[in-house]
Amino acid sequence: MKKPERITIKKVFDVRFKGEPSPECRVLPVSPRIGVSLANLPSIKPKLVVAESDTVVQGQALFYDKTNPHVYVHAPVSGTVHRLVYGPRRQLQCIEIATNSALPPLAFERLLTPPTSAADTKSALLERGLWAYWRQLPFNTIPRPQDTPPAIVVQLANPEPFHPRLSAVLPRVANDITAGLRILQTLCPTIIVVADANESINLDDWSDMAQVVRVDADFNHCSPGAAIYHLKDSDTYNHAWYCDWQFLVKIAQTFATGVYANQSYITLSGYSDTADAHYQVTDGMDLTTVAPPIAKRMVWGGLFSGIAAAESFFLPVGIDAVSWVDTTETVSLMPFLALGAAKPSFTRAYLGHFLKPFTPPSTALGGSYRDCVSCGHCETVCPVHLMPQSLLRQVNADDTDTAIRYGLLDCTQCGVCTYVCPAKIDLSAQFTATKDRLYNEVNA
Amino acid sequence: MKFLYRRLQALAPLFEKGGRFERLYPLYEAVVTIHFGSSDTTRGRVQVRDALDTKRFMILVIIALIPVTLFGIYNVGYQFYAAIGEPASFGSMVMKGLTVFMPILLTSYAVGGFWEVLFAVVRKHEINEGFLVTGLLFPLTLPPTIPLWQVALGISFGIVIGKEVFGGTGKNFLNPALTARAFVYFSYPAYLSGEVWTAVSSSASRLVGYTSATPLGVAAATAQPQAVTDALSEAGYTVMHCMIGLIPGSIGETSVLLCLVGAAILIVTGVASWRTMVGSVLGVVVTATVLNGLVSDTTIPFLGMSPLWHLVVGSFAFGAVFMATDPVSSPDLKPSKWVYGFGIGVLTVLIRVVNPAYPEGVMLAILLMNVFAPLMDYSVAEYRVRKRIPNGL
């Protein structure tokens, strides 16, 4: 692993949107109903261990993954299983729990010092239902407990717009992050902490526990996949594990208190000037209690890699940002002839590139679907130096071997190539689909 | 305007899947989006998109072409009145230019548009804005004396064989406008070479003893012991003349200065690659300098034409700025753009100087390099892939 203190990346993607949530952090009470939504749990095949109208307590197992039978997901609150929501082909989508805070949480053994061996740490994490927060490259799946991570990347900043800033909540969580890093140290000697160089956080406390890298933040370069790409010196690190700082806080608190930690920090953005802020919430929170539905598209996660939420308003496991994106249709005559001072654009084709109009994000496609015209914009923004247009050709031709050789598995699925494409091709979606197919083939 | 938009939107079910005019959907889509842009919203995980689309992309090329087009129209009239030896006002020169150019342009758009729509409907793809550029570029490369039926045939070949049989804009490996011109050039050579560059019939020009040889024609015809520069100045051409462009030639190619204006627009807006343009200039300069060094008493005088002259005569500037930079038919990757541009410069000079049958080599140089573009991309991509740390299964 290369050991720079700072990575500066030449590729620039500097489109900024209006609507950054305020750094103020508010604490929300637990909502009367909680939903454990699987929308953001990739590759998990759930097998329920509770039934409708069962009583569950905070920290009790709800279901496990059939492919990894030791990986359980636990209930964030105590209460009664109110409803099981199934999607197409009877796929479990959400477990709704009617909250009952009178029930005491499940008590685990308190671990005041980190476990002494990797095996102990793993079994402690598995027992406490914290394993499902891990992710592994290159498929962004939940790693198998029996594997040993070649490296662990801890993400201190999510570079996508409107994600929680660690600086907003640092005083509350700094000690937990330190404790969490101690626990990770037992799992793997190579721990990389990736921070945004533009965010002023004192990282000195952690620099003797892990390799701390500040990324001079061009968009999306401090994602774990991009960090590994720029730091790796051999292919061993391709299967690195990663997590964000919230996971460290969660494991540190659960280990120290013996109670399943159910608090997360999230941001709301694009909802209203008064509501856009940081929030400390209970996992699986029913968001309609703070933000009733409005005529905007509600997005779980980032603007570039989020999920458009359809009906459910329960915060999915592992989602830390909720955005509402404007869907208003604007009609103007021959919009492509405009000077475009108010149009945010990565390319110089509109004046907005130079003036940086700083407009709120919108769901407008901004054009029609066309074939690739080889403009090369995707190549200029890719954080892992792929040639997306060439890669897309291999993917379309179903030449997976060449696609892999061209770096398909390095793709971090950040969505920036899709954002800039003037032919409106969803490159990122095609790469993701191919990667998912590959994962299923390999693990069939 | 909103009313019109709503009316158009109300018609949509007729053209969508299962509607009565389902087959004509590409035409409907084109009509709506050319007037109001697209009203689609994002799908999938990327919730926001850039404002740039292919319409903007192509319209910027057309905007960059406006100066050379307007000047071309004026120059057609100017050359006409110069040839018949009559003084004329600016207005009548422009009028003459319009009467010559507009029929060519309209033929090109009408016939080209017909093929584009036909293929879009039959092959079920959208009508691509790219044909608006092709339909304008092609007339600008033609002499004002071109018969309209040849314009129609040329643009048909360019759109159908140069583009649509491969699947439309984005799938073509040759520049459609140049494919069209090459077709006319090789099918009807008499109409694209010799004394065709002024909008008067050759009998009329003989009346006043006027010769309409282009600078390249003069240079190619120079015989030992005369030097090319002397022959050119004898014919009344200076570098400044060629820069400004009030000289005979293809309609849009003559003004190097306005091609530079177009280049500036394309580069500032990021539509065309400056690497291709600079690469082709370098190619011309290097090749011409080398050839200048080979000049002796036995070589043809054309070999001694200086790099500067090579850059300002003929359609080099027009080709390098507007034709070579077509993103679809040029290579994708930045290093290959340099090689591609350089190759165009080298071939342009070689074809001009070494092969006396073709005094102008830009068209052939670009088409030839178009063919090699995928190979360049492949080589660069393979080189880059070798440097990556592999990430396999």
Side-chain angles (χ1 to χ4, degrees), chain A residues 139 229 232-235 238 297 299 303-308 329 331-339 343-350 361-375 377 379-380 384-387 389 393 404-406 409-410 415 418-419 422 424 438 442, chain B residues 1-2 5-6 9 29 33-60 63 126-129 167-171 267-271 327-328 330-334 337 377-378 381-382 384-385 388-393:
Chain A
F139 296 107
Y229 174 79
K232 70 181 175 184
D233 51 12
S234 83
D235 58 358
N238 287 332
R297 181 189 290 180
V299 178
L303 294 177
F304 295 83
S305 60
I307 309 161
E329 195 182 316
V331 180
S332 61
L333 198 61
M334 303 208 171
F336 48 87
L337 280 178
L339 288 172
K343 292 189 181 190
S345 184
F346 166 73
T347 64
R348 301 193 297 266
Y350 284 104
S362 141
T363 59
L365 188 64
S368 342
Y369 296 105
R370 292 288 184 261
D371 281 324
C372 173
V373 291
S374 310
C375 66
H377 289 319
E379 199 209 329
T380 59
V384 292
H385 299 175
L386 296 173
M387 298 167 278
Q389 77 277 53
R393 251 169 247 149
I404 290 174
R405 217 161 51 79
Y406 273 45
L409 298 187
D410 281 333
T418 303
Y419 175 85
K424 310 298 168 190
L438 271 172
V442 173
Chain B
M1 194 183 67
K2 274 224 159 102
Y5 178 69
R6 300 278 166 242
Q9 290 275 301
E29 197 256 8
T33 56
I34 203 99
H35 288 95
F36 299 104
S38 158
S39 61
D40 283 345
T41 51
T42 54
R43 289 173 238 167
R45 299 195 72 148
V46 183
Q47 312 291 336
V48 289
R49 294 291 187 95
D50 200 276
L52 176 71
D53 66 343
T54 45
K55 281 204 174 55
R56 177 68 167 185
F57 209 84
M58 299 301 177
I59 223 77
L60 283 171
I63 289 172
E126 294 85 3
I127 296 173
N128 197 298
E129 309 68 47
T169 305
K171 307 269 169 59
I267 290 172
V268 167
T269 55
V271 170
V328 180
S330 62
D332 296 357
L333 305 172
K334 284 167 186 167
K337 283 188 171 152
D377 272 343
Y378 175 80
E382 287 296 319
R384 286 188 182 172
V385 165
R388 289 185 86 88
I389 295 169
N391 190 350
L393 287 170

Side-chain angles (χ1 to χ4, degrees), chain A residues 247-376:
Chain A
F247 175 66
L248 297 188
V249 174
K250 228 178 191 50
I251 58 174
Q253 288 178 353
T254 307
F255 279 24
T257 60
V259 175
Y260 180 82
N262 65 0
Q263 298 292 298
S264 292
Y265 297 92
I266 66 163
T267 51
L268 304 188
S269 60
Y271 190 81
S272 72
D273 287 346
T274 47
D276 294 357
H278 288 64
Y279 290 89
Q280 183 187 337
V281 298
T282 309
D283 291 337
M285 167 102 189
D286 179 6
L287 282 179
T288 49
T289 57
V290 269
I294 52 170
K296 283 185 173 183
R297 181 189 290 180
M298 183 181 179
V299 178
W300 302 124
L303 294 177
F304 295 83
S305 60
I307 309 161
E311 289 107 24
S312 173
F313 291 91
F314 297 109
L315 190 68
V317 179
I319 290 287
D320 59 354
V322 187
S323 303
W324 282 265
V325 189
D326 195 9
T327 51
T328 325
E329 195 182 316
T330 50
V331 180
S332 61
L333 198 61
M334 303 208 171
F336 48 87
L337 280 178
L339 288 172
K343 292 189 181 190
S345 184
F346 166 73
T347 64
R348 301 193 297 266
Y350 284 104
L351 270 184
H353 172 85
F354 305 98
L355 300 177
K356 304 257 176 274
F358 205 52
T359 48
S362 141
T363 59
L365 188 64
S368 342
Y369 296 105
R370 292 288 184 261
D371 281 324
C372 173
V373 291
S374 310
C375 66

Side-chain angles (χ1 to χ4, degrees), chain B residues 81-119:
Chain B
Y81 285 107
I84 61 171
E86 261 178 40
S89 67
F90 177 78
S92 46
M93 286 178 189
V94 170
M95 271 319 289
K96 176 65 192 169
L98 281 174
T99 53
V100 172
F101 180 69
M102 288 320 278
I104 301 179
L105 181 70
L106 291 177
T107 310
S108 165
Y109 269 143
V111 178
F114 166 77
W115 287 114
E116 182 78 30
V117 172
L118 183 71
F119 270 87

Side-chain angles (χ1 to χ4, degrees), chain B residues 126-337:
Chain B
E126 294 85 3
I127 296 173
N128 197 298
E129 309 68 47
F131 108 87
L132 294 175
V133 177
T134 308
L136 176 58
L137 275 176
F138 175 54
L140 291 177
T141 63
L142 296 174
T145 50
I146 191 91
L148 292 184
W149 60 271
Q150 286 184 11
V151 179
L153 271 181
I155 194 75
S156 300
F157 187 87
I159 297 273
V160 176
I161 307 293
K163 188 169 89 170
E164 288 298 339
V165 292
F166 298 105
T169 305
K171 307 269 169 59
N172 52 307
F173 65 96
L174 293 176
N175 184 324
L178 279 185
T179 313
R181 189 183 194 273
F183 174 79
V184 180
Y185 184 81
F186 287 111
S187 306
Y188 312 104
Y191 291 86
L192 262 86
S193 50
E195 315 230 321
V196 299
W197 306 104
T198 308
V200 284
S201 64
S202 45
S203 55
S205 67
R206 229 175 284 130
L207 279 176
V208 290
Y210 178 85
T211 167
S212 62
T214 60
L216 271 176
V218 173
T222 313
Q224 286 282 11
Q226 197 180 26
V228 170
T229 326
D230 299 335
L232 282 167
S233 60
E234 209 168 89
Y237 292 119
T238 65
V239 172
M240 210 53 212
H241 268 128
C242 296
M243 286 293 284
I244 293 165
L246 281 174
I247 53 171
S250 295
I251 297 170
E253 75 172 24
T254 54
S255 176
V256 175
L257 222 50
L258 291 177
C259 285
L260 288 177
V261 171
I265 295 174
L266 291 178
I267 290 172
V268 167
T269 55
V271 170
S273 163
W274 58 270
R275 293 177 179 84
T276 305
M277 299 186 204
V278 175
S280 49
V281 170
L282 285 179
V284 166
V285 171
V286 169
T287 319
T289 312
V290 169
L291 290 181
N292 286 177
L294 300 177
V295 171
S296 72
D297 292 348
T298 52
T299 54
I300 56 166
F302 205 173
L303 214 59
M305 190 151 102
S306 71
L308 181 64
W309 271 105
H310 269 295
L311 291 176
V312 296
V313 297
S315 55
F316 173 74
F318 186 82
V321 171
F322 297 109
M323 293 291 194
T325 56
D326 165 25
V328 180
S329 55
S330 62
D332 296 357
L333 305 172
K334 284 167 186 167
S336 16
K337 283 188 171 152

Side-chain angles (χ1 to χ4, degrees), chain B residues 59-77:
Chain B
I59 223 77
L60 283 171
V61 181
I62 292 182
I63 289 172
L65 279 167
I66 288 175
V68 289
T69 310
L70 294 180
F71 182 84
I73 291 170
Y74 167 68
N75 189 38
V76 166

Side-chain angles (χ1 to χ4, degrees), chain A residues 55-73:
Chain A
T55 301
V56 293
V57 294
Q58 180 179 344
Q60 183 186 331
L62 293 176
F63 59 87
Y64 66 89
D65 180 9
K66 275 187 259 188
T67 39
N68 275 325
H70 298 292
V71 177
Y72 282 83
V73 172

